[in-house]
């Protein structure tokens, strides 16, 4: 039996600089996995390989395999567009479409997939906004611009936008690093709720956050995956010295 | 205690004051120049303004022998030739800008972008020559007969194919304003943050859908501004248009027919204008042109300055409710 999502010998480069080295990881369905590690160690590059966004950067390349339900998403007959519908992403900085309303920001993924029926769109928008715990705050102003919301609300709007197409995996790259503690708490709360329906991979600089929300945690260093295990174990009894040094703040 | 930044009082050092003065003089002088150009145009147009009033812009007869001047055909010619130019150039320029920013590899983009901008450096008269020797014959023998055959039911595409005429002028203008519109569009597209494009891609949009959603939709205002700026150039362009439009003082629905523009009539007649009223009539045409381009350019500024407003979410990030 295979995991929902796994990587085999995944390496990635920008030009001639290799930034990820032979990453081997499995993500089980309906879990939250956190990726921690110092700045520049390749965390973002890693999760951007998982939805094939990495290849959109000029000069970027990757080798190895990423398997979604056992199928290699880098196989030559696979359309990256289809993959990105199954593997959603939330970015570090909230990035709602400035020209679209709150409603359209959430509905756009479905519209891109060809859904036109108003009833379906409305129903999905409402469900997604409720999932993202934003519905109560915006239900009376669905037609105002997405960018008119606060930063924390915008980030939850982006989560709703990603959820609307019902992805099986949600990638989150430091989704709360630009937010205040209250918005952060809201999004963390949300994740425990979300993992009932979607598998989450989250990059975070905040180790307390990783400890609070994740089932498993991976520690990255200089493009390598040093340690990956149950969150409780990794934080209390790390196997690798470098992990221990990092989580106790004695790094460098 | 409260502080207030007062720009006047900040310059307490003698050096600063001298420097500020040196900077102030040319700015004020340029503003005065603008105002004085408008004023002298108006004053020198007075004879014909008194003589004809509004009939100057509403009638079509231009008869220097009897001192009767109706500028309608040149206003028409200016508007129509510029409109053709915009119609052709806008999709072309936006397409070029999209190609250069979104599709072409960086190095190709830079080279092609440079070459496109070089088009702006070619002197107008050279465009005119090219138009006379290449464009007009091609229009007369190939394009205009084809248009007449396929869309001849429209009044625009009826009549004899002259080659030289409104269509030729419109096309040459389109080529001349393309560098302007495409380079401004390119700047605007480049100012759109990467994360905006990635937002679309991560949702499963194709490259084209991403361009529509993250680039074109966001850049709408800016593109309109760029087009208006191009329009401003087209309205005032003189040499190439004078060489290609055929210079006939007539309002004709057919785009194949010769016409003339505000700029071309001034260039053609000013040297030979003898009577005071004739000179005044040409000056009034100049005044009209000045007013039109001034308004158009102001509009463009307005659009572009808003089109460039990007970046941070409008509310401060982290604004908890
Ligand atoms: N577009 C790019 N072009 C070239 N090199 C890049 C690019 N993006 C990232 N890199 C390099 O790849 C390495 C990994 O970057 P990455 O963004 O994955 O790090 P990260 O772990 O996410 O860091 P942070 O915690 O600061 O976000 C870094 O050394 C970085 O300099
Ligand atoms: Mg990162």
């Amino acid at each position: 039996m295979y995991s929902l999502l796994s990587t085999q010998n995944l390496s990635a480069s920008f030009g001639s600089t290799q930034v990820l080295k032979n990453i081997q990881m499995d993500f089980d369905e309906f879990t939250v996995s956190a990726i921690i590690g110092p700045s520049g160690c390749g965390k973002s590059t890693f999760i951007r390989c998982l939805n094939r966004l990495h290849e959109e950067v000029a000069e970027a390349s990757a080798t190895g395999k990423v398997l979604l339900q056992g199928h290699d998403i880098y196989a030559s007959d696979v359309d990256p567009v289809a993959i990105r519908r199954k593997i959603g992403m939330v970015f570090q900085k909230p990035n709602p479409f400035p020209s679209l309303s709150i409603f359209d920001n959430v509905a756009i993924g479905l519209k891109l997939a060809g859904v036109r029926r108003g009833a379906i769109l409305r129903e999905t928008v409402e469900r997604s906004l409720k999932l993202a715990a934003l519905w109560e705050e915006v239900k009376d102003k669905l037609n105002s611009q997405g960018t008119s919301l606060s930063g924390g609300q915008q980030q939850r709007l982006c989560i709703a936008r990603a959820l609307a197409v019902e992805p099986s995996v949600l990638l989150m790259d430091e989704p709360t690093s630009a937010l205040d503690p209250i918005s952060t708490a809201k999004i963390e709360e949300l994740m425990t709720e979300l993992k009932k329906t979607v598998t989450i991979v989250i990059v975070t600089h905040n180790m307390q956050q990783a400890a609070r929300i994740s089932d498993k945690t991976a520690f990255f260093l200089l493009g390598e995956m040093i340690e990956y295990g149950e969150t409780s174990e990794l934080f209390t009894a790390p196997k690798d010295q470098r992990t221990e040094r990092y989580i106790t703040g004695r790094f460098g | 205690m409260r502080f207030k930044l007062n720009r006047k009082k900040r310059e307490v050092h003698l050096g600063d004051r001298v420097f500020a003065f040196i900077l102030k003089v040319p700015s004020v002088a340029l503003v005065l120049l603008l105002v004085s150009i408008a004023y002298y145009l108006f004053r020198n147009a007075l004879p014909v303004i008194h003589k004809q009033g509004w009939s100057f812009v509403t009638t079509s007869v231009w008869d220097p022998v009897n001192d009767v001047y109706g500028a309608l055909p040149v206003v028409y010619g200016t508007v129509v030739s510029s409109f053709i130019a915009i119609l052709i150039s806008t999709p072309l320029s936006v397409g070029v800008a999209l190609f250069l920013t979104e599709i072409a590899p960086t190095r190709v983009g830079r080279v092609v972008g440079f070459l496109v901008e070089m088009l702006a450096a070619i002197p107008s008269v050279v465009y005119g020559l090219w138009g006379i020797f290449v464009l007009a014959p091609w229009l007369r023998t190939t394009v205009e007969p084809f248009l007449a055959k396929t869309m001849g039911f429209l009044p625009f595409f009826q009549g004899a194919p002259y080659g030289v005429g409104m269509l030729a002028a419109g096309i040459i203008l389109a080529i001349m304003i393309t560098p302007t519109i495409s380079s401004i569009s390119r700047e605007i597209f480049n100012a759109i943050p990467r994360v905006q494009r990635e937002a679309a891609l991560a949702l499963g949009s194709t490259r084209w859908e991403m361009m529509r959603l993250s680039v074109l939709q966001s850049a709408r205002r800016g593109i309109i501004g760029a087009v208006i700026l191009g329009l401003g150039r087209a309205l005032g362009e003189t040499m190439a248009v004078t060489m290609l439009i055929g210079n006939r003082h007539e309002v004709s629905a057919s785009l194949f027919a010769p016409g003339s523009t505000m700029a071309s009539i001034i260039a053609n007649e000013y040297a030979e204008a003898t009577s005071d009223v004739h000179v005044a009539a040409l000056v009034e045409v100049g005044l009209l042109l000045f007013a039109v381009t001034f308004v158009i350019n102001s509009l463009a500024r307005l659009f572009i300055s808003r089109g460039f407003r990007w970046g941070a979410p409008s509310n401060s990030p982290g604004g908890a409710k």
Side-chain angles (χ1 to χ4, degrees):
Chain A
M1 201 44 213
Y2 37 71
S3 306
L4 177 71
L5 184 69
S6 59
T7 68
Q8 292 177 357
N9 281 324
L10 181 68
S11 298
S13 310
F14 292 100
S16 55
T17 323
Q18 189 175 8
V19 299
L20 280 184
K21 292 164 200 150
N22 294 323
I23 309 287
Q24 213 75 262
M25 280 180 90
D26 296 305
F27 302 99
D28 291 322
E29 201 165 18
F30 307 136
T31 59
V32 176
S33 306
I35 297 173
I36 59 171
S39 187
C41 68
K43 307 178 296 291
S44 298
T45 309
F46 176 70
I47 67 165
R48 291 164 59 89
C49 284
L50 300 181
N51 67 345
R52 295 191 59 171
L53 208 54
H54 177 62
E55 68 201 44
E56 297 293 336
V57 177
E59 317 258 292
S61 63
T63 59
K65 282 183 176 171
V66 177
L67 304 176
L68 179 65
Q69 289 164 328
H71 302 289
D72 185 9
I73 65 169
Y74 280 92
S76 56
D77 59 340
V78 173
D79 179 4
V81 169
I83 292 303
R84 295 186 195 126
R85 290 204 179 119
K86 291 189 200 142
I87 304 180
M89 188 164 203
V90 176
F91 296 79
Q92 179 170 2
K93 228 179 110 197
N95 56 356
F97 295 110
S99 55
L100 300 185
S101 66
I102 293 174
F103 182 93
D104 285 334
N105 258 290
V106 182
I108 188 69
L110 283 183
K111 285 186 180 171
L112 286 171
V115 178
R116 288 280 171 278
R117 285 266 302 281
I120 295 179
L121 291 177
R122 275 193 298 279
E123 194 186 305
T124 310
V125 168
E126 182 172 341
R127 183 167 39 79
S128 309
L129 284 170
K130 279 179 175 161
L131 261 178
L134 189 59
W135 176 251
E136 289 303 320
E137 292 157 58
V138 301
K139 64 181 180 200
D140 299 322
K141 50 174 181 177
L142 290 173
N143 286 323
S144 32
Q145 297 243 301
T147 43
S148 69
L149 298 172
S150 79
Q153 290 172 325
Q154 288 189 23
Q155 192 62 306
R156 277 177 284 147
L157 180 64
C158 292
I159 294 175
R161 177 177 72 184
L163 292 173
V165 290
E166 300 188 1
S168 38
V169 180
L170 186 61
L171 309 171
M172 304 176 105
D173 193 353
E174 301 182 41
T176 60
S177 67
L179 306 182
D180 69 305
I182 296 170
S183 306
T184 301
K186 274 197 173 151
I187 287 175
E188 287 184 8
E189 218 173 284
L190 191 64
M191 275 187 273
T192 26
E193 192 59 35
L194 287 179
K195 77 172 185 184
K196 290 175 188 162
T197 51
V198 59
T199 304
I200 296 176
V201 181
I202 177 174
V203 171
T204 176
H205 268 288
N206 181 333
M207 281 182 269
Q208 282 79 32
Q209 182 171 65
R212 277 193 300 266
I213 59 175
S214 69
D215 303 299
K216 288 176 108 180
T217 299
F219 171 61
F220 276 47
L221 184 64
L222 297 171
E224 286 180 81
M225 201 262 291
I226 305 294
E227 188 168 348
Y228 179 40
E230 297 295 325
T231 299
S232 50
E233 271 173 42
L234 188 128
F235 279 107
T236 52
K239 294 191 181 67
D240 195 290
Q241 237 189 356
R242 290 166 291 182
T243 316
E244 183 181 355
R245 282 220 302 265
Y246 183 71
I247 59 179
T248 52
R250 284 180 286 126
F251 204 79
Chain B
M1 200 169 144
R2 298 177 66 198
F3 293 93
K4 219 173 158 187
L5 264 187
N6 188 325
R7 295 187 73 168
K8 268 187 205 131
K9 281 203 185 133
R10 258 192 318 180
E11 288 142 13
V12 286
H13 300 283
L14 181 64
D16 282 352
R17 263 146 86 182
V18 171
F19 192 59
F21 181 75
I22 291 174
L23 293 181
K24 214 181 282 172
V25 169
S27 327
V28 172
L30 286 175
V31 172
L32 284 180
L33 184 66
L34 186 77
V35 173
S36 75
I37 288 177
Y39 173 71
Y40 281 105
L41 282 175
F42 179 75
R43 215 183 63 173
N44 288 313
L46 273 179
V48 78
I49 292 175
H50 282 313
K51 187 162 176 285
Q52 294 204 203
W54 286 110
S55 76
F56 184 79
V57 282
T58 57
T59 59
S60 296
V61 177
W62 186 273
D63 183 359
V65 179
N66 297 308
D67 262 351
V68 177
Y69 301 98
L72 188 63
V74 291
V75 174
Y76 173 82
T78 300
V79 171
V80 171
S81 60
S82 297
F83 187 71
I84 296 172
I86 292 299
L87 220 56
I88 297 173
S89 178
T90 303
L92 187 70
S93 307
V94 173
V96 167
L98 269 185
F99 173 74
L100 295 181
T101 55
E102 310 297 320
I103 297 171
T106 326
R107 201 171 312 137
V108 176
R110 218 172 292 145
V111 173
V112 177
F114 172 75
L115 291 178
V116 170
E117 270 159 44
M118 279 302 289
L119 282 176
I122 299 176
S124 177
V125 65
V126 175
Y127 275 110
L129 286 174
W130 178 80
I132 287 174
F133 290 115
V134 181
L135 180 64
W138 182 59
L139 288 179
R140 189 180 60 240
T141 56
T142 315
V143 179
E144 290 179 354
F146 172 77
L147 288 175
K149 210 164 68 191
T150 51
M151 293 191 286
F153 54 90
L154 294 169
F156 316 122
F157 303 118
Q158 291 168 357
Y162 283 89
V164 162
M166 201 67 98
L167 188 62
I171 291 175
I172 208 79
L173 284 174
I175 298 171
M176 294 177 76
I177 64 177
T178 292
T180 310
I181 303 182
S182 69
S183 67
I184 297 174
S185 301
R186 202 150 66 101
E187 295 288 316
I188 293 168
F189 296 168
N190 278 330
I192 297 174
R194 241 200 106 64
V195 287
Q196 207 60 65
R197 295 178 172 85
E198 292 189 339
L201 290 174
L203 271 181
S205 62
T206 63
R207 190 154 281 269
W208 163 239
E209 286 164 341
M210 179 275 278
M211 287 185 222
R212 222 183 44 200
L213 192 62
S214 300
V215 181
L216 289 180
Q217 286 221 20
S218 314
R220 253 177 330 200
R221 261 178 179 289
I223 294 172
I224 295 174
V227 169
I228 297 179
L229 218 56
L231 179 61
R233 260 205 80 188
L235 291 169
E237 174 48 44
T238 310
M239 199 60 211
V241 171
T242 309
M243 290 165 83
L244 277 171
I245 200 164
N247 301 306
R248 186 187 290 170
H249 198 82
E250 208 174 79
V251 174
S252 166
S254 172
L255 300 181
F256 301 163
S260 61
T261 69
M262 297 196 251
S264 74
I265 199 173
I266 299 173
N268 269 325
E269 295 189 5
Y270 198 80
E272 292 133 40
T274 41
S275 86
D276 285 352
V277 187
H278 191 184
V279 172
L282 293 173
V283 172
E284 188 173 356
V285 171
L287 182 65
L288 282 177
L289 187 55
F290 177 83
V292 170
T293 45
F294 187 83
V295 169
I296 296 268
N297 274 296
S298 312
L299 280 180
R301 282 295 131 79
L302 208 71
F303 272 111
I304 290 180
S305 65
R306 297 210 181 142
F308 265 124
R309 242 195 265 139
W310 292 118
S314 50
N315 281 323
S316 57
K321 39 149 272 141

